[in-house]
Amino acid sequence: AQKVTQAQTEISVVEKEDVTLDCVYETRDTTYYLFWYKQPPSGELVFLIRRNSFDEQNEISGRYSWNFQKSTSSFNFTITASQVVDSAVYFCALSEILDYGGSQGNLIFGKGTKLSVKP
Amino acid sequence: AAGVIQSPRHLIKEKRETATLKCYPIPRHDTVYWYQQGPGQDPQFLISFYEKMQSDKGSIPDRFSAQQFSDYHSELNMSSLELGDSALYFCASGQALDTQYFGPGTRLTVL
């Protein structure tokens, strides 16, 4: 069975601090996708990144960076120099690739980490 | 760029009533997914459609049904509403191996 674990329920930091959100996943599939979504207080789910299981390259996008390590089944997310606008719930998610149509399966989410960035 | 459209954005219903939520996927996306997010919870997969056929089913109650129409929009029908159905309902769309993009959600409140 597939499972995503985000052990950190809530994190509170002061602006400009760096913060890392942990994500550990379980799957028997050899091919899968990993995601991070941001959910601000307004409620929408904002896509941040998708990673293919074959691509273990780390990625950086502005203040955001992601570290994918297949050996430890982890896909961690770091925000550098955090800002108040980063305050949100962050979800890590996993999906399989379905045989028919080569399409993506449904997302399995972790419980989310609530990040509070204080000025 | 066009996004996923959901309507209505907010809906208030009484217990035992019915509700219909609508989703208009991004043009040319062939797959629609429905998720339910209870207060303080993570989104839970309900059901998905690929090329207008049901493709996968998650934890969708028997009181709920859904379909995808010829124009690719999808509707989630919910009957005999219960207090526990109060949640944020998301629709997402995708094409083949493309990322799932979420709509803004419909907030359903059952009184």
Side-chain angles (χ1 to χ4, degrees), chain B residues 29-102:
Chain B
H29 278 192
D30 52 24
T31 307
V32 166
Y33 310 80
W34 284 97
Y35 294 85
Q36 177 193 56
Q37 185 180 25
Q41 304 294 315
D42 53 297
Q44 294 289 316
F45 170 67
L46 293 178
I47 195 167
S48 62
F49 294 88
Y50 171 67
E51 284 292 344
K52 293 161 279 184
M53 300 283 289
Q54 182 183 309
S55 54
D56 201 4
K57 206 170 177 180
S59 48
I60 183 169
D62 292 339
R63 299 177 289 107
F64 294 7
S65 65
Q67 57 182 323
Q68 186 177 29
F69 295 85
S70 57
D71 64 351
Y72 289 90
H73 94 272
S74 178
E75 295 183 4
L76 178 66
N77 298 293
M78 311 158 70
S79 63
S80 303
L81 287 169
E82 302 174 355
L83 295 178
D85 296 328
S86 294
L88 197 48
Y89 290 83
F90 287 105
C91 170
S93 74
Q95 183 185 26
L97 296 178
D98 194 11
T99 296
Q100 291 183 32
Y101 292 95
F102 283 80

Side-chain angles (χ1 to χ4, degrees), chain A residues 33 35 37 39 41-45 47 50 91 95-98 100-112, chain B residues 9 30-31 33 35 37 40-45 48 50 55-56 88 90 95-104 107:
Chain A
Y33 286 117
F35 302 80
Y37 284 87
Q39 188 172 43
S42 51
E44 71 270 26
L45 281 167
F47 166 77
R50 182 180 76 164
F91 289 100
S95 78
E96 59 179 344
I97 296 175
L98 302 176
Y100 64 85
S103 66
Q104 197 180 141
N106 60 280
L107 292 171
I108 295 162
F109 288 86
K111 295 297 181 189
Chain B
R9 295 292 309 278
D30 52 24
T31 307
Y33 310 80
Y35 294 85
Q37 185 180 25
Q41 304 294 315
D42 53 297
Q44 294 289 316
F45 170 67
S48 62
Y50 171 67
S55 54
D56 201 4
L88 197 48
F90 287 105
Q95 183 185 26
L97 296 178
D98 194 11
T99 296
Q100 291 183 32
Y101 292 95
F102 283 80
R107 189 171 295 279

